[in-house]
Amino acid sequence: MSGDLHYEPREERVYVHLEIDGIMVVPCAITMEDVEYPFSCESDEVFSFLKEKGDDIHECKGDVVELLPVIFQLILMEVPLKCVKEGLKEYPKGDGWEVVKEEDYVKEAKDEIDPRLAKLREFKIDE
């Protein structure tokens, strides 16, 4: 993590440019095993020592610029919704259940006949 900080005395604001990169450990969406996920983000933040309204301005408490909550929020924004372990060869299965690929499920569902309509296969149209 690195960054630059600039204090503007006339405006009583602090301008911060943050560059955050690292590796987070998240669970695999299929096997729930730990997966290392690299991330990187940049952000420009504004901190004000005056009470100002605005979505992009963080209010300072006293004479302290608290970067940690902003850094934590930026890292949370980088957490993936779904992460699958690279090189996954075998999907997990157990007693009466198994995880299948979506392509395999669609192919199997396409070939399967609805049991309510199975009798119609025996029906023959005479010309």
Side-chain angles (χ1 to χ4, degrees), residues 26 29-30 33 36 49 55 62 64 71 91-92 98 116 124:
V26 294
I30 296 173
E33 294 177 10
E36 290 186 353
F49 290 101
D55 292 337
V64 178
I71 293 169
Y91 283 26
E98 67 178 314
R116 297 172 293 180
K124 303 214 190 250

Side-chain angles (χ1 to χ4, degrees), residues 100-127:
V100 295
K101 293 181 184 176
E102 186 174 359
E103 299 89 31
D104 295 342
Y105 174 76
V106 170
K107 183 179 176 186
E108 183 180 306
K110 191 185 294 183
D111 296 338
E112 190 175 296
I113 297 174
D114 188 347
R116 297 172 293 180
L117 304 174
K119 280 286 194 186
L120 289 176
R121 284 190 132 193
E122 299 170 7
F123 186 69
K124 303 214 190 250
I125 299 175
D126 293 331
E127 293 184 33

Side-chain angles (χ1 to χ4, degrees), residues 26-43:
V26 294
C28 175
I30 296 173
T31 62
M32 296 301 289
E33 294 177 10
D34 289 343
V35 177
E36 290 186 353
Y37 181 80
F39 69 94
S40 179
C41 66
E42 288 187 31
S43 181

Side-chain angles (χ1 to χ4, degrees), residues 11-13 46-60:
E11 299 175 1
E12 291 201 41
R13 285 185 174 178
V46 179
F47 293 86
S48 176
F49 290 101
L50 303 174
K51 292 194 186 252
E52 296 183 39
K53 295 200 178 194
D55 292 337
D56 297 339
I57 300 173
H58 304 281
E59 186 178 327
C60 296

